[in-house]
């Protein structure tokens, strides 16, 4: 895995000597010299502070931003190792049948995002908690891609430290800047790999069960925008008269490494560049977003400070290089479309006062994963280490045996306990 090039926050698939590195170069290039000459320099001091506040045996992890202001950690260029599709009935397929193709819109699109909400919308039942099940199905069907050696000691070990959803990692990346929503992440070590699956917090459940009609409709707008922008085939056009069904999904599965953490995760991908000469996945993928129209400098500043953090984190993780945003008015009409290049976002936010920093996001995620590795010692499918975080607090955890939190399904445990080549490939 290590032959893939490292990534800095500014490089999507180029070398690590990106504009970001150059921008930080004056400090970064001479780091070693500086440390020798000035042992109390800012960087080293911060790093020591982080270690002091997060001692190795601690049961808590601080989320204070200043503890994570270090050099950007190694993040390998994510490699797509496979993909899967979920159809209109949420059935799993180990292929790309739900892949869609990006179609460039007009300059003044005038998409009406409210169209079809009442009569052409099938909404996924979000009270059904699927946990990691789709990813686990993919793992079973592609096990041979994830194991290099078959030793007698561990005949079925996967060559990764963590398996999770991209969305869970996005939450970790944005944690040092999050002031409103906490999270709970369940972790189970099984045959050497740690699986991480979200548990809905009480607050999130309340929010989900008490959404206003306006909020429900606005959630539809994002999916309707996708329908205006995507075609089912390379040569076809989008079909805004069709039904929007949020059961359907195309998900990429990528493998990468953050410092010494080998990661395997999956994320939903909206569409791809339809040019056959476009680079290979995940570089040809495009993320679609909707956002309120920008009328004032204050609104643009808020987009940079809050939304771009989430957009950057979500797409940077799997190596998706572009976000196409549709800006809509209060009536749900898209008035303009703008492309954001993930590699240029750190430049874009540079002039915002007291803004978020990619390095803080990645260092926090890295330290959280180290914290998880230290905590999750028992290798058992029925033991869950439950990590919880609330804004302005530390991350803490509790341990649960054979509890309601256990999330690895029996079919997965059984299947992983047989040799991959001992029977049919599903
Ligand atoms: O029940 C849940 N809360 C979870 C659902 C937890 C983890 C995953 N999932 C499912 C989603 O239904 C989806 O099929 O996994 C898939 C997406 O995983 P992800 O890519 O790791 O999730 P994330 O990055 O948070 O979301 C990506 C997209 C969203 O796009 P926007 O532009 O809104 O960020 O996946 C969709 C949505 O289009 N999505 C969902 N669709 C239906 N129901 C949901 C959901 N609960 N969550 C995300
Ligand atoms: Ca999207």
């Amino acid at each position: 895995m290590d032959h893939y090039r490292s990534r800095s926050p500014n490089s999507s698939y180029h070398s690590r000597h990106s504009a970001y590195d150059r921008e930080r170069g004056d400090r970064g290039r001479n780091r070693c010299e500086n440390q020798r000459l000035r042992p109390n320099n800012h960087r080293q001091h911060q790093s020591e502070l982080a270690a002091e506040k997060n001692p190795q045996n601690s049961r808590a992890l601080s989320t204070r931003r200043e503890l994570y202001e270090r050099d950007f950690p190694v993040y390998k260029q994510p490699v797509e190792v496979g993909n899967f599709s979920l159809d209109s009935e949420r059935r799993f397929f180990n292929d790309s049948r739900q892949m869609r193709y990006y179609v460039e819109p007009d300059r003044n699109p005038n998409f009406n995002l409210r169209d079809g909400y009442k009569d052409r919308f099938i909404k996924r039942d979000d009270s059904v908690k699927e946990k990691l099940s789709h990813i686990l199905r993919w793992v079973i069907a592609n096990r041979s891609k994830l194991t290099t050696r078959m030793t007698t000691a561990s005949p079925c070990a996967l060559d990764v430290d963590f398996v999770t959803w991209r969305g869970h990692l996005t939450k970790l990346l944005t944690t040092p800047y999050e002031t409103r929503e906490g999270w709970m992440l369940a972790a189970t070590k099984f045959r050497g790999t740690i699986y991480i699956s979200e548990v809905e917090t009480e607050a999130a459940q309340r929010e989900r069960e008490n959404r206003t009609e306006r909020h429900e409709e606005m959630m539809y707008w994002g999916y309707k925008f996708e329908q205006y922008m995507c075609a089912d085939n390379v040569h076809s056009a989008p079909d805004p008269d069709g039904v929007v069904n949020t059961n359907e999904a195309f998900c990429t599965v990528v493998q990468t490494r953050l410092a010494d953490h080998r990661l395997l995760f999956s994320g939903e991908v909206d569409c791809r560049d339809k040019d056959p000469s476009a680079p290979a996945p995940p570089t040809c993928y495009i993320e679609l977003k909707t956002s309120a129209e920008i009328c004032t400098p204050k609104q643009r500043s808020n987009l940079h400070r809050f939304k771009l953090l989430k957009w950057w984190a979500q797409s940077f993780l799997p190596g998706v290089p572009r976000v196409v945003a549709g800006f809509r008015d209060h009536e749900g009409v898209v008035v303009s479309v703008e492309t954001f290049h993930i590699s240029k976002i750190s430049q874009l936010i540079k002039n915002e006062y007291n803004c978020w920093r990619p390095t803080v996001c990645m260092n926090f995620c890295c330290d959280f994963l180290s914290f998880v590795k230290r905590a999750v010692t028992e290798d058992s499918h029925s033991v869950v280490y439950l990590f919880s975080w609330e804004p302005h607090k530390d991350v803490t955890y509790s341990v649960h045996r054979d509890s309601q939190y256990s999330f690895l399904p029996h079919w997965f445990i059984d299947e992983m306990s047989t040799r991959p080549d001992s029977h049919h490939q599903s």
Side-chain angles (χ1 to χ4, degrees):
M1 272 201 352
D2 287 11
H3 56 279
Y4 297 110
R5 285 184 290 215
S6 301
R7 313 176 75 217
S8 69
N10 247 17
S11 76
S12 47
Y13 52 92
H14 304 296
S15 83
R16 60 184 308 187
H17 301 291
S18 62
Y20 188 83
D21 283 332
R22 284 196 296 276
E23 173 202 314
R24 307 158 78 241
D26 291 344
R27 284 178 294 158
R29 201 180 314 115
N30 296 319
R31 199 172 64 249
C32 299
E33 286 168 41
N34 284 346
Q35 280 180 356
R36 254 184 282 128
L37 294 172
R38 293 189 288 128
N40 287 330
N41 80 38
H42 182 68
R43 249 165 227 283
Q44 185 173 351
H45 177 67
Q46 292 299 351
S47 175
E48 281 168 1
L49 199 63
E52 236 169 67
K53 298 279 165 161
N54 298 320
Q56 297 276 306
N57 59 358
S58 172
R59 296 265 310 203
L61 179 74
S62 172
T63 62
R64 284 171 50 206
R65 294 164 204 177
E66 58 271 30
L67 301 177
Y68 303 97
E69 297 268 5
R70 314 191 291 265
D71 283 350
F72 202 82
V74 169
Y75 190 62
K76 293 282 176 186
Q77 168 66 38
V79 174
E80 183 177 78
V81 288
N83 51 56
F84 61 85
S85 295
L86 305 173
D87 75 358
S88 59
E89 291 165 53
R90 208 69 182 165
R91 287 177 301 206
F92 172 94
F93 294 91
N94 183 30
D95 60 39
S96 59
R97 66 184 67 192
Q98 293 290 347
M99 162 90 81
R100 292 179 299 176
Y101 298 85
Y102 177 74
V103 176
E104 186 100 30
D106 282 357
R107 269 185 69 82
N108 300 101
N110 271 313
F111 299 144
N112 176 10
L113 302 179
R114 306 183 81 158
D115 178 47
Y117 176 63
K118 291 276 186 235
D119 60 321
R120 299 190 322 280
F121 178 31
I122 299 170
K123 185 178 178 287
R124 188 181 86 92
D125 180 355
D126 55 13
S127 67
V128 176
K129 298 300 168 212
E130 300 175 324
K131 302 174 183 169
L132 298 187
S133 64
H134 302 306
I135 302 180
L136 302 181
R137 275 193 199 289
W138 183 89
V139 167
I140 295 292
N142 296 274
R143 236 165 106 192
S144 54
K145 290 184 188 173
L146 303 171
T147 46
T148 47
R149 295 166 304 275
M150 300 284 279
T151 64
T152 40
S154 56
C156 306
L158 304 179
D159 272 348
V160 295
D161 299 315
F162 294 97
V163 171
T164 192
W165 280 108
R166 175 269 308 274
H168 301 357
L169 295 174
T170 307
K171 282 195 180 172
L172 291 170
L173 260 63
T174 59
T175 295
Y177 300 103
E178 180 61 49
T179 56
R180 289 188 308 207
E181 290 171 11
W183 46 252
M184 291 200 287
L185 293 170
T188 290
K189 180 143 90 173
F190 176 59
R191 293 180 180 268
T193 294
I194 299 173
Y195 296 81
I196 299 181
S197 178
E198 185 174 35
V199 174
E200 191 175 50
T201 62
E202 276 182 30
Q205 184 186 349
R206 269 199 306 277
E207 192 269 338
R208 177 171 56 77
E209 289 170 349
N210 296 295
R211 284 182 202 133
T212 61
E213 181 56 22
R214 169 85 179 166
H215 188 186
E216 285 284 350
E217 184 177 339
M218 286 175 73
M219 288 176 66
Y220 167 78
W221 293 359
Y223 297 105
K224 185 67 189 174
F225 180 61
E226 293 174 10
Q227 192 192 50
Y228 278 113
M229 302 283 287
C230 302
D232 288 343
N233 303 291
V234 184
H235 300 294
S236 63
D239 175 21
D241 298 328
V243 169
V244 170
N245 185 328
T246 59
N247 288 296
E248 296 175 7
F250 166 75
C251 296
T252 180
V253 182
V254 302
Q255 215 172 334
T256 184
R257 182 163 66 84
L258 170 58
D260 61 345
H261 307 303
R262 296 169 301 165
L263 314 177
L264 178 79
F265 58 87
S266 175
E268 194 172 323
V269 169
D270 292 327
C271 55
R272 62 158 287 161
D273 188 330
K274 64 179 171 185
D275 184 343
S277 61
T283 309
C284 60
Y285 291 151
I286 299 168
E287 171 65 34
L288 302 176
K289 294 287 178 197
T290 56
S291 194
E293 171 185 19
I294 290 178
C295 305
T296 67
K298 175 83 180 161
Q299 287 169 337
R300 173 136 311 249
S301 175
N302 282 338
L303 177 89
H304 289 175
R305 294 171 56 82
F306 306 110
K307 272 219 165 139
L308 284 192
L309 163 60
K310 305 230 160 143
W311 295 0
W312 172 83
Q314 185 188 40
S315 289
F316 180 74
L317 278 164
V320 172
R322 282 181 286 170
V323 174
V324 174
F327 291 97
R328 46 97 192 141
D329 64 19
H330 282 289
E331 299 301 306
V333 174
V334 173
V335 293
S336 65
V337 172
E338 195 176 330
T339 299
F340 293 88
H341 294 269
I342 294 302
S343 62
K344 292 183 181 157
I345 285 182
S346 61
Q347 194 65 23
L348 206 60
I349 61 168
K350 218 177 55 175
N351 295 326
E352 298 291 344
Y353 173 71
N354 196 19
C355 202
W356 60 276
R357 294 189 62 207
T359 198
V360 169
C361 302
M362 296 304 283
N363 281 317
F364 173 73
C365 183
C366 186
D367 286 11
F368 173 78
L369 295 176
S370 301
F371 180 61
V372 171
K373 277 184 180 168
R374 287 196 300 274
V376 180
T377 49
E378 191 173 337
D379 193 313
S380 165
H381 63 82
S382 58
V383 177
V384 163
Y385 294 75
L386 186 62
F387 294 83
S388 309
W389 177 73
E390 287 299 327
H392 314 297
K393 300 217 172 110
D394 289 350
V395 180
T396 57
Y397 69 93
S398 50
V399 188
H400 307 260
R401 275 161 222 284
D402 302 304
S403 72
Q404 53 170 329
Y405 297 116
S406 293
F407 62 87
L408 289 180
H410 285 292
W411 54 260
F412 180 71
I413 295 155
D414 293 348
E415 197 71 37
M416 290 296 279
S417 305
T418 65
R419 285 185 162 274
D421 50 1
S422 68
H423 63 88
H424 69 278
Q425 286 261 305
S426 57

